[in-house]
Amino acid sequence: MGDQAAPLPLFDGFVGPVRRVSRNSAVKKLLRDEYQFLRPQLRFIAEINATRRQDAMNLINLHVRRYLEGHFADFPPLSGQRIWTQAYKLVGLRLDEAIPRFDRPEVDLFATFEVFRECIRNQETGEAFYEPDTLDDGSLTATMADNFARQAIQNYHEHMRNLPRFIAIVWEQIIDGHHIGNANAVKRAARLITQSIIDHQPAPPQEFQDLDINDHYENMHIEFENWLGLEVPIQRLRARDLTADLCMRILGFSSSLLQFAELLGLPKRWSLLPIASHQVVHFTVCTRTLALILRRAWQQDHQNPLPQPLQREDGRALPVQGIYHVISDNNVKQVIWEAVFQMDHVKSNRFRLGDDLNNLVNVNPFTFDFSMTTDGVRAHLLFLRPTLAEPERFPTVRADLHRLEDNMDLGDWTKGVYLLDKDPRGLDQERLNESAIIGVDPGLSSMITASGTQEEGPGDHRLHEISVPTRSYHARTQVFWEYQKELQNRAKSGITAEYDMIRNHSSHVSSSAGFQGYIRVIAQIRPRMKDFAMHYKHREIRATLAAARQSTQAQITNELLGISPPRLPNAKIQFIHLTSKRQRKRASRRCRRDAQRNFGWERNPLPTISFWGDGRMPNIPGYAPIPHFGMIQFASRHMLVIITNEMYTSQVHAACDARLRAVNGMYHHCEHRYKRRRTTTGNGTRGRNVRWCVEENSAFLDRKSECDERQNRASEVWALKRCTNVDAHIHPVIVNRDTNAAKNMRRIGIAYMELDGHPDHRPPPLRLPLPNVNE
């Protein structure tokens, strides 16, 4: 008899490194019909967790400030879970409630908690401004405290890594008064001076020594050396580099920096440690938390069902210790989650424990991680995916791009993100012939501009050019709608005075006395803020906003992939909260049919490689943020994204390699300095930040657009460029700056693949120095 292959074993989890991915859904659709009673339970627990989370983080903030002022000898062990867990439990006690002996906190934290209690006490009546809500379930509270502690430690470490940004915030405000140029020049100067501080340089860079900042620089340099005079790469700290001693030093210098900002009267400051939001946020639901929530619901009403593994033989709920013992088995966890939630609604094509591996050939390598986060309205379920199953890299933050290995082989990559400056392998002529190449230029007025062709002028090639104006993106993602709803809710509830109190008693202070004032204000307005956060559909609005953002990014990605034709500028917006999924699908299909019938559009059958510009666009004050890296993250799940240097791509004509010149226009201008000021529109809203002319003493004059001293002045039209290369064109050619840059990005990518990754792959006009063929 011939040899027969041994049958594959049953699936028992992935072996090797894995990464987490999330899939979201509405809680109502996720729960099975018989477990819909959990919706109010999850909402209530999320609300309690939000208030406790805020109080616990305020307690830790106060504790650290008291340590820095010398009240305690030992630095709080913030890298361990115990102190965060204790803080979470302490803030749930009423004023007259004693601390359980078996759960007695450390002496130092207990002393700070007594100060915290006095802050939330009404000095006139002696009673508390508010009484904390309780779950009446010690096991569930302990489990939620552990989940909170794990997340709080991650937030704490991320906050420590932001120290260079805090230094830059101070220098931006110091330099802004010296009138060295526009906002970009100020930020550049602040970055250079910050880097000089971090590099232990005793004097600022030579180009800034004439700005009368030497005294400020010397004081900050001395303080930095006293606290962080170590050979530590502060600029690129990792979580494993943050030892207890280093965190103590960072907090000490950050506190000194806050005092320095307060002494100078700088308006922009930061929090010494993370501060919790006033809104109801997502909390973690692990298997233990889910089992205890089910047990609590059954104790309140025995008609509520329980999954079979959580029941005794007589149908009653297992005791807590019995639940802990039962859920130690992953197969039991799977039974519980599958009984409560419709997992197939989120991801049906996945690995399940106990499945026959012979039948999983066409199944996506995902398995459920038995965990989710929810705010009671929307849930994010967490899945595991083995990294060996996909060679691609998906950075979660922009800084991770520079931590990728050099010269990686992208031959097997069909998606993911990589840097072209790291000279990847596997992008060759053969790959070029089998792929659709597009160039993408990120921007401010247009969020992204993409081109899949080098042709210019009117014609069918416009079907391969995509432009997403930023204002259109914000309208499609319903950012403006969310702003309107928030302002309407604030006006309806009359909560504006409470927000003004928080603004006047900021948490961005260095002293414990100042932070106690912040805690007192929070305690006074807690009932009103709690009512506002829970009863004005903030979570529903947030869920709608997330769905609109996901839908819009999916539509843009489909256009980049060539699955959908470019969206017409006058196309009707399909708002998430006003249309059904069926209506949106029909509208998308109608657009495809119209493009095929009227313009001859055809769907792209090839895999797509996009060469994406590396520009980092700042958020403009007074305007909604532009999620450039978020768009890269979403697109990289469906195509290969190569981040490319944008050098000279908007200054060289993609058709003839000539240097482009400015297109001049006329505009009104006055010589006054300006500041942004929130100006109401007269309809009861807070208005928006607009530019106002100011005098030398910072007194406001008129709006910039209404100033009487404005004069006509020639200026460059930013969106347009002109080519005057007489050897290539009879008449000057006007080109769109962003479209031209996208075409050049595509040229760079094609040249790299044609030369099989040669170091000198960039076309000569796009290298240093920039030639000027017209002169």
Side-chain angles (χ1 to χ4, degrees), residues 470 473-474 479 483 619 623-627:
T470 301
Y473 176 83
H474 286 153
V479 172
Y483 285 172
N619 292 331
Y623 292 85
I626 310 173

Side-chain angles (χ1 to χ4, degrees), residues 279-418:
Q279 298 295 332
V280 179
V281 297
H282 285 66
F283 72 99
T284 303
V285 180
C286 58
T287 306
R288 176 179 290 192
T289 307
L290 177 62
L292 293 175
I293 292 174
L294 289 166
R295 183 177 183 272
R296 179 176 180 271
W298 179 86
Q299 289 177 334
Q300 293 176 350
D301 185 357
H302 289 351
Q303 299 299 320
N304 293 331
L306 273 174
Q308 186 62 37
L310 302 181
Q311 299 180 19
R312 297 180 179 179
E313 294 181 357
D314 56 2
R316 294 187 299 165
L318 286 173
V320 173
Q321 294 300 324
I323 289 177
Y324 293 167
H325 175 72
V326 166
I327 64 175
S328 60
D329 185 358
N330 285 337
N331 290 287
V332 174
K333 292 181 183 179
Q334 179 172 269
V335 171
I336 295 173
W337 283 91
E338 295 276 0
V340 177
F341 298 103
Q342 303 181 60
M343 308 298 295
D344 291 347
H345 171 71
V346 179
K347 196 161 192 65
S348 59
N349 196 15
R350 69 183 188 279
F351 281 42
R352 294 175 174 83
L353 297 179
D355 284 349
D356 189 349
L357 291 177
N358 291 294
N359 300 327
L360 296 177
V361 178
N362 297 321
V363 178
N364 290 327
F366 283 86
T367 187
F368 186 52
D369 193 30
F370 310 120
S371 179
M372 74 175 186
T373 61
T374 182
D375 58 358
V377 174
R378 198 156 189 88
H380 295 267
L381 282 82
L382 302 179
F383 293 83
L384 295 178
R385 181 177 175 86
T387 55
L388 298 179
E390 50 179 14
E392 299 90 354
R393 299 290 186 269
F394 301 94
T396 55
V397 294
R398 191 178 287 270
D400 291 342
L401 292 171
H402 301 284
R403 301 190 182 107
L404 297 173
E405 301 89 349
D406 292 342
N407 305 118
M408 291 190 67
D409 187 1
L410 309 187
D412 297 331
W413 288 33
T414 57
K415 51 190 175 181
V417 187
Y418 198 74

Side-chain angles (χ1 to χ4, degrees), residues 53-233:
R53 179 175 179 268
Q54 185 181 31
D55 287 344
M57 299 185 82
N58 287 344
L59 176 59
I60 296 296
N61 265 277
L62 179 61
H63 189 52
V64 169
R65 284 169 170 82
R66 284 167 55 82
Y67 160 75
L68 293 173
E69 292 174 355
H71 291 272
F72 315 120
D74 298 328
F75 178 70
L78 299 180
S79 295
Q81 289 191 27
R82 178 176 171 80
I83 189 171
W84 296 95
T85 302
Q86 289 176 341
Y88 189 90
K89 294 178 180 178
L90 283 173
V91 296
L93 300 176
R94 291 183 289 272
L95 287 181
D96 57 348
E97 190 173 356
I99 302 174
R101 180 179 301 177
F102 61 86
D103 209 16
R104 176 72 65 174
E106 299 176 357
V107 176
D108 294 345
L109 183 60
F110 180 74
T112 301
F113 180 61
E114 292 298 328
V115 177
F116 180 87
R117 272 183 163 177
E118 291 302 315
C119 293
I120 65 174
R121 187 194 302 273
N122 190 329
Q123 300 300 322
E124 297 179 357
T125 63
E127 299 178 354
F129 286 111
Y130 67 91
E131 292 293 345
D133 294 322
T134 58
L135 289 171
D136 298 327
D137 189 332
S139 301
L140 180 57
T141 301
T143 302
M144 293 185 62
D146 291 339
N147 294 336
F148 159 77
R150 283 190 284 269
Q151 185 62 47
I153 292 173
Q154 293 181 15
N155 296 339
Y156 162 64
H157 285 161
E158 287 296 325
H159 199 74
M160 294 299 98
R161 296 167 62 183
N162 286 335
L163 180 62
R165 187 163 64 88
F166 301 152
I167 301 175
I169 288 175
V170 173
W171 281 112
E172 284 178 14
Q173 298 174 88
I174 293 176
I175 297 172
D176 190 36
H178 292 274
H179 316 306
I180 67 170
N182 57 18
N184 290 333
V186 171
K187 290 185 177 181
R188 174 185 172 275
R191 286 197 302 268
L192 293 176
I193 297 176
T194 299
Q195 189 61 49
S196 183
I197 290 283
I198 292 174
D199 291 341
H200 310 282
Q201 300 297 324
Q206 187 68 32
E207 57 184 304
F208 305 115
Q209 291 186 4
D210 297 334
L211 295 181
D212 193 21
I213 61 172
N214 290 333
D215 291 341
H216 295 326
Y217 186 93
E218 182 179 357
N219 293 334
M220 189 180 295
H221 170 71
I222 293 173
E223 201 68 26
F224 185 84
E225 294 302 314
N226 290 338
W227 285 103
L228 292 162
L230 306 170
E231 293 299 328
V232 179

Side-chain angles (χ1 to χ4, degrees), residues 473-484 545 624-625:
Y473 176 83
H474 286 153
R476 293 164 66 183
T477 54
Q478 302 188 211
V479 172
F480 302 134
W481 170 81
E482 189 270 340
Y483 285 172
Q484 278 188 334
L545 202 65

Side-chain angles (χ1 to χ4, degrees), residues 667-686:
Y667 78 110
H668 298 293
H669 176 74
C670 67
E671 298 296 336
H672 293 124
R673 292 179 55 232
Y674 72 87
K675 285 187 178 180
R676 291 192 177 272
R677 184 183 187 185
R678 188 167 294 281
T679 303
T680 59
T681 56
N683 57 0
T685 64
R686 294 178 63 229

